Amino acid sequence: MLKGSFVALVTPMTSSGAVDWDALDSLIDWHLESGTHGIVPVGTTGESATLTPTEHKRVIEVTVRRVSGRIPVVAGTGANSTAEAIELTEAAKNSGADACLLVTPYYNKPTQEGLYRHYCAIAEVVDIPMILYNVPPRTACDMQPETVARLAPIDQIIGIKEACGDAERVAAIRALVDDDFIVLSGEDAQTLQMMELGAVGAISVTANVVPHLMSAFCDCYLNGDLDGAEALDRQMQPIHEILFVETSPTPTKWALQQMGRIEDGIRLPLIELSETHHAEVRRRLSAIGAL
């Protein structure tokens, strides 16, 4: 089972906007050292929407090679074109990814039946474990629990990253699927509540900045140390909040640049974090020991 802290990894870039392959290797090494349970390259936080298909596939290849089987790699392969999602998912399988994360098709606003057919079409072509990804604030498309339940019996579809903003959605999904169907939080600030309702971990933005704390939090909860998990959750809440003060991954990439982990590269239409927020991000990073 995939469980624990899976980092929604940023794609490091140089100041010119080129993918920084050396920094990517360094970030992966840091996560391996920090106890991160799994890596999710080229998801939303990885700026998948602005990478070329060639870059997208190479980020997955580099990540799989660097991880070298030590922790699971769940490659982001979703797209708003079913054909493109199939192409990226096939490439991820060929690269050796352990599973794929497939966001609901953004901008198109498909019906629930359209969502069902989209995922069925991918599963019919590519034999790799698949995690559904529901994030309506980004996609203008909300996959309902009943649709998840229709998809859950498909062998390749093993779980969902839920980021609709309502932690209670976990309970609604859990009531309709088998016990072995995985639910992962996509909302860092709600992860404790979502795990209490049946999630088994998170695909986390915060894990980019404090990977050791996010993995320790998940370990505590999964091992029955609820007091420890609650204490770590309280400690991280200010970071959960500040990393969404502007559109993600803008604050996260700026924080990592301040920490000396990456350069300041980010691709339009996203831009560097507004100076208005610099002092507060630094203050919170310092308070938690990240600076």
Side-chain angles (χ1 to χ4, degrees):
M1 180 184 288
L2 303 177
K3 60 182 179 179
S5 174
F6 283 69
V7 60
L9 192 68
V10 301
T11 301
M13 298 173 184
T14 65
S15 56
S16 67
V19 176
D20 188 337
W21 302 105
D22 289 339
L24 178 59
D25 281 346
S26 180
L27 284 179
I28 292 167
D29 291 346
W30 183 43
H31 282 286
L32 291 167
E33 295 162 4
S34 299
T36 295
H37 300 114
I39 294 184
V40 182
V42 283
T44 305
T45 311
E47 294 176 82
S48 57
T50 57
L51 295 181
T52 68
T54 298
E55 289 172 328
H56 191 126
K57 294 171 187 176
R58 188 178 172 201
V59 170
I60 296 170
E61 291 171 359
V62 168
T63 303
V64 170
R65 183 177 68 246
R66 194 72 177 188
V67 169
S68 190
R70 286 171 284 183
I71 56 176
V73 174
V74 181
T77 60
N80 64 344
S81 158
T82 304
E84 182 180 352
I86 289 171
E87 178 186 345
L88 292 173
T89 304
E90 286 181 321
K93 179 186 177 182
N94 292 338
S95 295
D98 297 284
C100 290
L101 179 72
L102 290 140
V103 69
T104 54
Y106 43 87
Y107 190 78
N108 296 332
K109 299 179 72 173
T111 63
Q112 297 300 304
E113 181 64 24
L115 287 173
Y116 176 76
R117 295 188 190 184
H118 169 78
Y119 287 110
C120 285
I122 300 168
E124 285 173 3
V125 175
V126 192
D127 186 13
I128 189 172
M130 298 175 186
I131 304 287
L132 310 173
Y133 178 16
N134 188 43
V135 57
R138 288 275 194 168
T139 63
C141 172
D142 188 3
M143 184 160 48
Q144 296 299 304
E146 293 77 13
T147 303
V148 177
R150 288 182 70 194
L151 290 164
I154 297 172
D155 288 343
Q156 292 94 323
I157 296 175
I158 64 168
I160 185 169
K161 174 187 177 182
E162 183 53 68
C164 73
D166 180 6
E168 295 294 332
R169 182 66 67 88
V170 175
I173 293 170
R174 286 255 58 99
L176 297 174
V177 298
D178 290 341
D179 291 345
D180 60 354
F181 188 82
I182 299 164
V183 180
L184 295 167
S185 165
E187 298 276 1
D188 278 313
Q190 298 179 352
T191 294
L192 178 59
Q193 185 181 359
M194 294 174 82
M195 292 182 78
E196 290 171 342
L197 293 169
V200 294
I203 296 178
S204 169
V205 174
T206 296
N208 280 283
V209 176
V210 285
H212 61 297
L213 293 181
M214 198 65 197
S215 61
F217 158 75
C218 288
D219 281 338
C220 282
Y221 191 90
L222 293 170
N223 292 327
D225 180 6
L226 303 188
D227 289 342
E230 289 171 359
L232 286 164
D233 181 66
R234 286 193 299 272
Q235 186 181 1
M236 289 188 292
Q237 282 298 330
I239 301 297
H240 297 332
E241 180 184 39
I242 203 69
L243 293 183
F244 288 88
V245 71
E246 286 185 3
T247 303
S248 182
T250 295
T252 301
K253 295 194 90 172
W254 192 85
L256 286 167
Q257 187 269 331
Q258 293 295 296
M259 294 164 63
R261 296 286 176 183
I262 63 173
E263 291 188 32
D264 61 356
I266 195 165
R267 286 189 181 173
L268 288 169
L270 298 180
I271 59 173
E272 184 180 289
L273 183 70
S274 302
E275 189 173 351
T276 306
H277 302 301
H278 287 187
E280 184 60 17
V281 174
R282 285 197 193 98
R283 187 189 72 78
R284 296 193 190 193
L285 291 173
S286 296
I288 206 166
L291 276 183

